[in-house]
Amino acid sequence: MLTYQTPLDLVRDRLPEKPVACVRPDRVALAADWFQENFPGEVLYAVKANASNWALDAIHAAGLRWFDVASENEIELIASRFPAATMAFMHPVKSRRAIERAYFQYGVRIFALDCEAELAKIVAATNGAKDLTLIVRLAVSNSEAGLPIAGKFGATRDDAPALLQSARRYADELGVSFHVGSQCMSPSAFRDAMNLASSIILDAAVTVDIVDVGGGFPSAYPGMTPPDLKHYIDVIEECFEEMPVLENADLWCEPGRALVAESTSILAKVELAKDGALYINDGSYGNLFDATHCKWPFPIKAHRAAGAFEGEEKEFKLFGPTCDAIDTLEGPWLLPADINEGDYVEIGMIGAYGVAMATRFNGFGETDTIVVKDAPWSSMYAEVEKPETNVVPFPKKRRIRGGQRRGW
Ligand SMILES: Cc1ncc(COP(=O)(O)O)c(C=O)c1O
């Protein structure tokens, strides 16, 4: 991959015609290091957030070996790139073929479910396998999430105890999981979810081997600064100690956004300036879905290949390249008043659910990728001294089967 010090250097050198993902693999490595050092359990990268090879490689090189996968394609991708990786098939609804291939062809043993029908499907598609790790996904509040994803998956408070009992009959290891919603702005959401999980486990009176607190760990967007990530870990650790699970139960998390968000900015060319709007060559159907959909204050700056911008800044609306009116980033986006055709905008903090969401609608969506060396707009992670040698993965707790239950 081409490397430039900054996106502006690329603009000056090449006047790129296509949108460009300006990526900072060192920021992904830093985030992966942080999670492995601070999370007291297993860290699974949620591949959906950004499945680019450079991001996966940075995560793997940082020592992370567990991946949360949601589809056959994600399984194939991880298996081919990292044959020794552990994959957890965490989509609560899977096709029989996907389960069968995951189990028999790719050695996947960890499956999520949120209802009896999915449990039956997993048991049948694996020929009644005896070595399954079954993770029951619970429905929890998403009220603290910048991007709630509730209402689609998760066993309800009423149904979950019976489902846990059913799953226990088929599980070599049994876990509970939940998702507090993406960009969770308060650690209290994890506390509430873990307390709910505890009361469900007590009702079910089953032995639980794994607690998976899911994703939802936030990134720092301008004007949307979450508490320090350490607070989230402290709350999770404290609540985990109180849960009615095996004394030596494992704790997992599945961060997506928090590992990759700050790594990438998207450089898009201005094709036309008209009536207070800029028509750019990337948009909602391309790498800017999250920026459109979430309406968060994604940071932006303007770049001009030759000469400087002059005068005041003013508010613009951005239009993406496709013919659909949805392809609009309302903003308002504050940019130099004289920005015009042939200039560029760089939208930052879009490493999660950016490139990963791009379509080819209308023939657009082709994106180049370069590595840049400048700092991201903001960061959840303090710079840490990296050792010269390979990073040694965080030592995992070894769980001994048949341990004592606690908190009963
Ligand atoms: C099961 C599961 N785990 C983890 C994640 C990652 O979430 P986030 O990017 O908010 O950390 C998602 C995202 O939708 C998910 O569905």
Side-chain angles (χ1 to χ4, degrees), residues 46 48 68 137 149 179 182 215-216 254-257 353:
K48 69 198 78 177
D68 155 12
R137 169 99 169 245
I149 57 170
H179 199 302
S182 209
E254 306 164 10
R257 179 181 303 283
Y353 310 106

Side-chain angles (χ1 to χ4, degrees), residues 242-271:
E242 300 300 318
M243 288 187 76
V245 295
L246 280 178
E247 189 68 47
N248 48 9
D250 282 338
L251 182 63
W252 298 357
C253 67
E254 306 164 10
R257 179 181 303 283
L259 292 191
V260 290
E262 64 189 59
S263 70
T264 302
S265 48
I266 294 291
L267 192 64
K269 187 172 165 226
V270 178
E271 305 291 9

